[in-house]
Structures are given as structure tokens and as C-alpha cells.
Amino acid sequence: MKRVVMLIILFMLFGSCYSYEWTSYWDTEYHVYDMLMDNSSNNIFMATDQGLAEYNYFDEVGLYTSGDLPCNDVAVYNNEVYATLGAGSWSDGVYIANLETESLEIVDWFFNPNFLESSSVDGNLYVGYEYGLNVYNNSSFQTVNEFNRKKSTAFEDSDDFQLVATTDGIYHKNSEDDDALFASRQNFGQVEHNELTEISGLVASRSNPGVLWTMNDSGGGNHLYAMNELGQHLGVYTIPAISNRDWEDIAIGKNPQSNSPEIYLADMGDNGLSNPIKQIYVVPEASVSPSQQPVTELIQEGRTINFEYPNNEFYDSETLIFDQRTSTFYIVTKRNGSNDDNFERLFSVPYTYNDQLVTATYEGTFEIPADVLYGYGATGGDISPDGNFILIKTYQNVFMWERSEDSILNTLNGQRIQVPYVIEPQGEAVAWRYDGNGYFTASEEYSGIQSNLYFYSKLGWRKASDKKLNKLEYNYQDGKFYGIKNEGEDQGLYSSEDNGINWNYDFPTDNLADIESDAQGVIFIIWKPTAVPEYFNKVAAYYNNNLVYLNNGLENLSMLSLSHNFLLDTPTVLLATSEGVKIISDFTDDVPNQSNEVIELIDNLSIYPNPFNNEIKLSLKKGNIEKASLYNIKGQKLKDYFLNNKDGIAKINLDNKSNLAIPSGIYFLKVKSSTNSYISKIVKY
């Protein structure tokens, strides 16, 4: 009796039968975490718990090791094999494989690397690790500043977009973006509220996305004004306990102890250089909706940080920045034409919990070009929500600095980037959007010109979503990105049709480990090994909103990783288990075609000798062989053989006299009988 294993599943959309069988692809004692084929050597490389393993034509294994480090991921870049090694030690990093000496050489150190990917969009090599994302530029890795201090967990790209999953959410990049950092100015609308005539500061709420806070400067009353990103008025919030002598800037952050959202008002304008004591008012942020009707409310709470400049000096200042990393306020003085130098002065004020007078610390100076007409310097500034970018505005320009782990002063003394800005009449205010995907500017009403809200959208890497995913996969068949979440709440399988902006919750389940798509667009997922494995389905295929469990034949195995099947054009994936790598025979042939082909186990077909030299014989226990197709290790079909056979025995000549001579190496033979299909690996020596 034939040894045939079938799974009968009733699909709501198809209503057809599905057969499958897991068969051994490579037997290995190593735990395999990733697999790829090196096109230059035609060898298979596997990331294993013992190092980087190389499989050559004859199944011999060369193990590339560096100490006791496990190999996590492997990628090909410029025809060289790279791998990430490590699991939380200071030897972790990206290594390059020396194919001649079977050794690994360090390229750069990265603590606890999570992925290594060669992008099909830009051709670059990316490594994601515990503290960010770096890109390789043929000689060294460069930091991608948008990901500083964010754990990067996964990378995936389509023809048009790159996606990175981080602990801060999903970021994406459009391949059509040029080298520009920001788009041209967009007019989002006129500032609606007629009392906002002298806007001197602007900030985007991070607790109320889509809401902006602003205020008037000297003598403008003790009011905070809320508007949405179209300039529409949302409310007036009065703080009775404070006054507005000369409010010049506004910042936003969270209380370092309670983590509650706060607004910081800088009463530090001093045109006449006559006021020795300045104030930073700390006000709890109200809850506001960007679509609410305008309200009038009081904010009764709040306190004051009083400060003075050292050595009884007087400065007029219009720029306040709150650095959440250090819980410190930074103040930039406003240079004017009477200054004796060309530098901005930077002072810091600590976050305090009482109203006692503190002396600001002089940090140093940095240089930005003064306005051409009047010689004025900084009129406003803001730091991005993640703390990685700083903006400072003058009347005529906006400048940006990229910050890594440097102090604010060292950052401002680093490379300065002039970003787009169209001059506004008496324009003083600048603010990052709540997600860091661009910046707003606004001006005072001047000579009858109304104040407008302008936006400069960020290009390149942008935050697409707050969704936190652990793995990503792009399905070329349906044009969707898929992801899995295996930590915290709402664990399960997700999909996105708009390049990572919105995510549909496709299937709830805990403890997912990996995700991969096959050549016909079926999504495969696996679950993490657990102490009680029967509590979790181990392997499943997801297609047209249906989930099919494929666990027969995998009993008592741990599932480690999934890889795309680049070796053979049968629709399947490679599944790494605790007992080697397995494939599933022709499962997805049934999905799009709704066929019911029965897939026989490989031992119904005998292929001998194997390894072979010039001739190979095929023997079928029952039935006749109709056709055999030969594939190279890259999955490219080399030739079809329509065979004459007797009693299920046929032979193929592959010597130099035949019409297809092949060199030594690994090949695959797909054999078709009158009723069934078979796949086998063959080796020519």
C-alpha cells in the first residue's frame, strides 16, 4: 500500500482538498536560524547555533566560527557573504566570511544583532541591533540617525518601499525619494483664532496627536491656545497663577518622575536687558481632540522654575529646548547686531520641583549665520520627539542638527544642515510634528498679513505607525506587508496594504516565531518552542484569510526559522527544525489552482546511483514515469526529459555526449508519474 499522508481541509473560499508531506531537505545536528545561497560559489550558507555553516555540492559541511558565538543571520552583499554573530556579548557584530580559509573576520561590532538584510531597493546592507540601525557603504557601517536609541527588530522591502520594525513602531522609506531631506512648503491653513496675533512659539502635542499648542508673546495674556494641524481653533486654556511678561518660546515633555505630559512656557524675553530673573512655567497638558469644538478652560495646577544667568549677566532669549534624555532645559540667547561675536550662547537649567532661584549653567557657544538684514540669531527651536534631531530658527532660515549620543552643545557644534524655509513676516516659531515626520512654522500677524500654518514634510525614513512588530514579510502576490507580534498585548498576525501605515489584525495567536511567503503568495508562520508544545500549533499556512495548520510529520520537533525557497521552483518554504531543514512537497500547487494532486513520499521513487557521474536511473515502485525536470541549485529549470520507461524504470544520460552536459554539483529532479509528483536532490560528481 502506498505511503501517502494527506490533510483534508475544507476552505470556505475553495472547498477543495489539500495534501502535503514534510520531507527532509538537510539533516543536520545544528540548529539553523537562517539560510541563503551564495550565487558566486553556488553553496548554501546557514546561520546556526554553532556558527556559519557552508554546505557544498557533496553535503560536506564547513563550519565558520568565531569563539563560541552563535550565528543569527546571513546575507550576500557585493558577492561577499556576511553574517551576524552573537547573543548579548561584546564580541557580537557583523562578520565577513573568507571562503578560502573558512574563517570569519569582524567588520564592525554591534551588540545583540537582530537582523542582517541586503536591500533589493537600494542594494545596501542593513544591520539592526539593540540600539539602532546601520547601513554599510562598501567600507564601513554608518548610523541611520532616525533609529538611534530604538531597537530594530526586522527589515523588509518591496519594489518601492523599505520597512523597519522597531520598539518605537514601524518606519518606512519610499524608493522614489531623492536625496532631499524635506519636501517643499505646504500651506496647511490660516491660523483661525483672531486673538493669535503675535505667535512667538509653537509645539506639537505628543499625547494628543494632531494638536498644536501656541501662545502670544509680550503682554499677550496668560493663555495657551490649542489648534489642529489645519490651523482650526480648538480652545483657550488660561493659567491664573502665572503672568505673561514676555513669553518667547514653548516646549513639551514629560515629568521625569510621574511621566505625565507637560508644557513648558519660557518667560525670558528681555529686549531692554533689564530683567535679572527669568521663568520657565511648568503646566500639565490638557486632553484635547483635534476635532473638538472650541472650549474655554482653566488650568489651575502648575509651578515655576526661576533662573538667572551667571555673573549677573543679562540676555534676551527666544529659544527653549527640553531634552527628555537628561531632564534639562536648554536656552539659546538671541544674538543681535550689537554683539561682539558671531556665536549663539547656550545655557542649561535643570528640571527642579520647587520655585527656588537657580543659576543657569553656561554650556558654551555655537555658530549659525545671522540674518542678513538685521543680524538677529535664534528666534525659536525644538527637539524631535525621539531626541535625535534639533531645529533652530532665525527670521530668515531654519537649521537642523542630527544628534546621536552627544550632548546638546557638541551636537550644535557639529554639522549644521540648512533645511527648507520660505521667509514669513516676523516668523519666529518652529515645531516638529508629533511623529517627527516634518516641521511646522508660523508667524506673527504683520502689516495686515494673516498668520498661516506651514508644514515641511520629511522625506527618507519616516515613522509610518506606532505598531510594534517582531518580524516582517512582503508578499509579492497580493502586494501586502505582513508582520507578527509576539510580545505584550494583541499578539498575532498582521497585514498592511499601505506600506506599513495601517495594520489589519488578521489572526490573534501568541508566541509566533517567524514568518515567510512562498513563490505563490502563501504566508507561512511558525510558533516558538514551549515547555508544553502541544499547546501551540507549530506551523501554519495563511492564504485568502484562512489559516491551515501543517503539523503532521513534525511531532516532537522545535520550529526555529523559515526561509524562502530559492533553491527549487516548487512552491514551498524551507523550515528549520531541531532535527534539520525540511520542505513541504507541492502544498501550494493546490491553493491557486484548486487541484487535488496527490504528493507521494520521496521513498516511492528510487534514484541511483546518487551521487552519479554520467548516467542516472529512476525507478518507481508502482506506475510509469512520464516526465522528469532538472533544476540547478538556484531553482532554474535546465531541461525537461520525456522518458521511455518499462515497469517504472527509466534512465537519463547527463554525460558530455548528451545534449545537456552539466558540471559537478547539487541538482534537483522533479519527477512526474501518471498520477503523482516526486522531488529529489541529486549530486553529480
Side-chain angles (χ1 to χ4, degrees):
M1 182 177 179
K2 295 180 181 179
R3 293 178 56 221
V4 179
V5 180
M6 300 184 63
L7 177 67
I8 310 300
I9 296 178
L10 184 64
F11 266 55
M12 294 174 62
L13 298 180
F14 295 109
S16 57
C17 296
Y18 293 85
S19 59
Y20 75 95
E21 177 64 32
W22 288 106
T23 59
S24 178
Y25 206 60
W26 277 292
D27 293 321
T28 175
E29 62 184 10
Y30 304 126
H31 285 199
V32 178
Y33 303 125
D34 189 34
M35 294 166 277
L36 68 77
M37 193 191 76
D38 174 30
N39 291 332
S40 62
S41 67
N42 288 342
N43 287 356
I44 306 300
F45 285 87
M46 294 189 177
T48 80
D49 59 343
Q50 301 298 310
L52 179 66
E54 178 186 5
Y55 284 69
N56 66 19
Y57 292 135
F58 302 102
D59 285 350
E60 295 173 357
V61 179
L63 188 63
Y64 297 31
T65 62
S66 180
D68 297 323
L69 296 177
C71 184
N72 307 305
D73 215 345
V74 58
V76 171
Y77 173 71
N78 285 351
N79 295 321
E80 299 280 359
V81 178
Y82 291 78
T84 54
L85 274 71
S89 76
W90 296 109
S91 298
D92 297 356
V94 176
Y95 291 74
I96 187 170
N98 188 321
L99 304 186
E100 295 181 359
T101 62
E102 292 189 359
S103 62
L104 292 170
E105 301 169 2
I106 187 68
V107 178
D108 208 341
W109 312 104
F110 295 100
F111 183 74
N112 205 9
N114 292 311
F115 62 80
L116 184 69
E117 296 287 347
S118 182
S119 172
S120 61
V121 172
D122 59 21
N124 292 327
L125 185 67
Y126 289 88
V127 58
Y129 62 109
E130 195 75 16
Y131 307 114
L133 178 78
N134 278 44
V135 58
Y136 195 63
N137 63 355
N138 290 315
S139 60
S140 62
F141 279 99
Q142 302 296 322
T143 299
V144 183
N145 210 67
E146 284 83 353
F147 299 92
N148 183 43
R149 291 196 171 204
K150 303 180 180 93
K151 180 180 179 181
S152 298
T153 58
F155 180 100
E156 182 68 1
D157 52 22
S158 63
D159 290 335
D160 302 313
F161 271 85
Q162 297 169 295
L163 260 67
V164 175
T166 76
T167 50
D168 187 50
I170 303 294
Y171 287 75
H172 70 189
K173 181 180 180 182
N174 192 332
S175 61
E176 295 182 356
D177 284 353
D178 54 26
D179 293 333
L181 297 176
F182 295 90
S184 300
R185 184 178 81 170
Q186 297 172 276
N187 188 343
F188 271 28
Q190 183 175 314
V191 175
E192 185 178 80
H193 193 46
N194 56 17
E195 290 182 10
L196 284 170
T197 58
E198 296 187 60
I199 292 176
S200 61
L202 186 70
V203 74
S205 173
R206 295 159 196 176
S207 301
N208 308 299
V211 173
L212 299 168
W213 293 101
T214 189
M215 77 290 182
N216 288 314
D217 66 8
S218 56
N222 52 347
H223 312 297
L224 274 171
Y225 299 88
M227 61 180 169
N228 63 22
E229 293 181 345
L230 300 178
Q232 296 169 339
H233 178 53
L234 302 177
V236 179
Y237 297 80
T238 302
I239 310 109
I242 63 177
S243 61
N244 182 350
R245 183 187 55 81
D246 194 357
W247 294 2
E248 287 293 354
D249 206 0
I250 184 174
I252 202 161
K254 291 185 177 181
N255 185 296
Q257 291 185 352
S258 66
N259 209 37
S260 56
E262 296 177 330
I263 295 172
Y264 311 114
L265 296 161
D267 197 342
M268 57 188 187
D270 193 6
N271 292 329
L273 300 180
S274 58
N275 186 43
I277 299 178
K278 312 296 196 293
Q279 287 80 30
I280 299 173
Y281 298 117
V282 180
V283 179
E285 183 180 3
S287 178
V288 183
S289 168
S291 60
Q292 73 181 30
Q293 292 298 311
V295 299
T296 301
E297 294 186 2
L298 296 179
I299 300 178
Q300 298 288 1
E301 301 178 42
R303 53 193 175 77
T304 303
I305 298 175
N306 295 292
F307 73 93
E308 62 181 356
Y309 293 106
N311 303 318
N312 296 316
E313 294 173 330
F314 291 78
Y315 295 99
D316 180 31
S317 303
E318 297 189 2
T319 301
L320 176 71
I321 294 171
F322 179 65
D323 180 23
Q324 192 75 54
R325 294 182 188 175
T326 60
S327 300
T328 304
F329 298 99
Y330 287 91
I331 296 161
V332 180
T333 61
K334 182 181 179 182
R335 175 163 36 113
N336 57 55
S338 65
N339 283 2
D340 296 327
D341 55 45
N342 295 318
F343 296 94
E344 313 296 318
R345 291 170 172 80
L346 182 71
F347 292 87
S348 64
V349 175
Y351 188 105
T352 60
Y353 293 90
N354 55 61
D355 58 1
Q356 293 181 353
L357 181 65
V358 297
T359 301
T361 299
Y362 174 64
E363 298 288 343
T365 62
F366 66 98
E367 184 177 11
I368 57 174
D371 291 337
V372 174
L373 295 178
Y374 303 106
Y376 288 118
T379 64
D382 196 17
I383 191 167
S384 61
D386 58 12
N388 289 331
F389 298 91
I390 297 173
L391 291 173
I392 290 182
K393 188 182 183 304
T394 68
Y395 285 126
Q396 294 179 335
N397 298 294
V398 177
F399 300 99
M400 186 182 78
W401 291 261
E402 295 185 358
R403 180 191 183 197
S404 56
E405 296 303 313
D406 276 341
S407 66
I408 297 292
L409 178 64
N410 288 343
T411 298
L412 294 175
N413 274 304
Q415 182 181 5
R416 181 184 67 241
I417 303 168
Q418 185 167 344
V419 295
Y421 177 63
V422 179
I423 296 177
E424 306 163 47
Q426 199 71 18
E428 297 185 2
V430 64
W432 285 104
R433 193 169 187 256
Y434 72 90
D435 54 9
N437 284 344
Y439 56 91
F440 293 95
T441 64
S443 69
E444 299 180 3
E445 292 185 1
Y446 186 79
S447 298
I449 300 175
Q450 296 294 314
S451 175
N452 286 274
L453 188 64
Y454 297 106
F455 184 66
Y456 299 82
S457 181
K458 189 177 184 299
L459 302 177
W461 287 108
R462 295 167 50 88
K463 189 171 185 181
S465 169
D466 287 326
K467 182 63 65 180
K468 297 174 178 60
L469 301 176
N470 302 93
K471 297 280 187 177
L472 296 171
E473 175 65 17
Y474 182 71
N475 188 344
Y476 279 89
Q477 298 299 319
D478 62 16
K480 295 181 183 179
F481 280 95
Y482 288 83
I484 58 175
K485 185 170 188 266
N486 57 30
E487 298 174 351
E489 298 179 353
D490 300 329
Q491 295 185 42
L493 176 67
Y494 290 82
S495 64
S496 172
E497 299 183 67
D498 53 9
N499 301 303
I501 297 174
N502 296 290
W503 291 88
N504 183 57
Y505 195 16
D506 288 350
F507 191 83
T509 182
D510 293 345
N511 290 297
L512 288 176
D514 204 358
I515 182 172
E516 185 62 73
S517 62
D518 72 359
Q520 292 192 357
V522 176
I523 297 295
F524 285 79
I525 56 176
I526 62 174
W527 280 258
K528 296 178 183 179
T530 65
V532 188
E534 60 268 23
Y535 284 0
F536 297 97
N537 296 291
K538 298 175 183 177
V539 183
Y542 184 74
Y543 188 81
N544 274 11
N545 301 317
N546 293 278
L547 202 66
V548 184
Y549 297 106
L550 306 171
N551 298 325
N552 290 350
L554 300 175
E555 292 79 8
N556 302 315
L557 298 182
S558 295
M559 307 302 113
L560 301 175
S561 68
L562 291 163
S563 291
H564 189 74
N565 176 26
F566 47 80
L567 302 176
L568 189 64
D569 66 353
T570 182
T572 186
V573 293
L574 302 179
L575 170 65
T577 75
S578 53
E579 293 184 1
V581 180
K582 298 185 179 297
I583 60 171
I584 186 170
S585 300
D586 280 356
F587 166 73
T588 55
D589 275 346
D590 294 333
V591 176
N593 300 327
Q594 303 183 44
S595 68
N596 293 310
E597 181 182 23
V598 176
I599 307 301
E600 294 280 358
L601 291 176
I602 200 72
D603 60 4
N604 284 314
L605 174 71
S606 297
I607 298 178
Y608 57 93
N610 190 18
F612 68 96
N613 187 8
N614 295 324
E615 184 180 82
I616 190 166
K617 292 182 179 180
L618 311 177
S619 175
L620 191 62
K621 292 180 180 179
K622 187 176 181 180
N624 289 325
I625 299 171
E626 295 180 349
K627 175 184 174 182
S629 300
L630 183 68
Y631 298 82
N632 63 18
I633 199 170
K634 299 179 182 178
Q636 300 165 329
K637 183 185 289 188
L638 302 180
K639 186 174 176 62
D640 287 327
Y641 297 90
F642 296 91
L643 303 173
N644 295 318
N645 60 90
K646 183 179 180 181
D647 298 327
I649 298 177
K651 65 181 180 179
I652 300 173
N653 289 317
L654 296 170
D655 58 18
N656 292 331
K657 296 179 181 179
S658 67
N659 56 359
L660 178 66
I662 63 172
S664 299
I666 294 177
Y667 297 87
F668 295 90
L669 205 62
K670 184 174 182 179
V671 179
K672 178 77 173 178
S673 75
S674 55
T675 57
N676 306 318
S677 293
Y678 311 83
I679 297 174
S680 181
K681 180 173 61 176
I682 60 176
V683 179
K684 186 176 188 296
Y685 61 85

